[in-house]
Amino acid sequence: AAGVIQSPRHLIKEKRETATLKCYPIPRHDTVYWYQQGPGQDPQFLISFYEKMQSDKGSIPDRFSAQQFSDYHSELNMSSLELGDSALYFCASSFSVWGYGYTFGSGTRLTVV
Amino acid sequence: DAKTTQPNSMESNEEEPVHLPCNHSTISGTDYIHWYRQLPSQGPEYVIHGLTSNVNNRMASLAIAEDRKSSTLILHRATLRDAAVYYCILISPRRTGANNLFFGTGTRLTVIP
């Protein structure tokens, strides 16, 4: 079965550079969520999209932005990278119709050096 | 969203049942109880969810207290593959839009061979 696809799997960037993470949800899922998980931490909600519109914002820095495109894939753009941005970034997708679980991707490991 | 409280860690012997508790004394009438788990270096994985009645699926069972102030995730026969961090999350679904998952501090389950 198709899963949530994230790319790239690993990314190394220098401080002050920019990074773009991509997420391809499960077909027909209309909602996408982004999470950040630092070393030894629990996943922190960043932002969500429903039907290509931003739904909610969590603890997402102003240096980060995201959008969901017409084909429902989503991109997380991160600028002026800091060492503290090094983390695993997960994307999840779901149906907005209640009763279904959420499916997470395998994540993108971002290392800022 | 209402808060949940889980033990930081638990141990179980392989092939024995495991009962993972979760307290949610401030749960509201519309909150669903979701369980996710995160295996090392992987994205979170949906396990089970319920509202009032006990639920069973191929992965686990969910026992919900009559007053809904606590619940227990039951793994009937723990395997080494069940070693993970288990998260109990409450969600009150919206009629439209994203229903965001907020991860607290879960229970790290260690399975002893």
Side-chain angles (χ1 to χ4, degrees), chain A residues 18-29:
Chain A
T18 62
T20 297
L21 310 185
K22 297 186 179 183
C23 170
Y24 296 86
I26 288 177
R28 300 198 309 276
H29 278 190

Side-chain angles (χ1 to χ4, degrees), chain A residues 35 37 42 48 56 98 102, chain B residues 36 38 87 94 99-101:
Chain A
Y35 289 83
Q37 187 172 27
D42 301 302
S48 59
D56 297 282
W98 189 246
Y102 300 62
Chain B
Y36 281 76
Q38 187 173 23
Y87 295 97
R94 297 163 162 167
N99 291 291
N100 307 307
L101 288 177

Side-chain angles (χ1 to χ4, degrees), chain B residues 6 16 20 22 28 40 43 47 50 55 66 79 86 107 113:
Chain B
Q6 300 177 248
E16 288 188 357
L20 298 165
C22 181
S28 73
V47 178
V55 184
E66 199 169 330
T79 68
Y86 286 78
T107 298

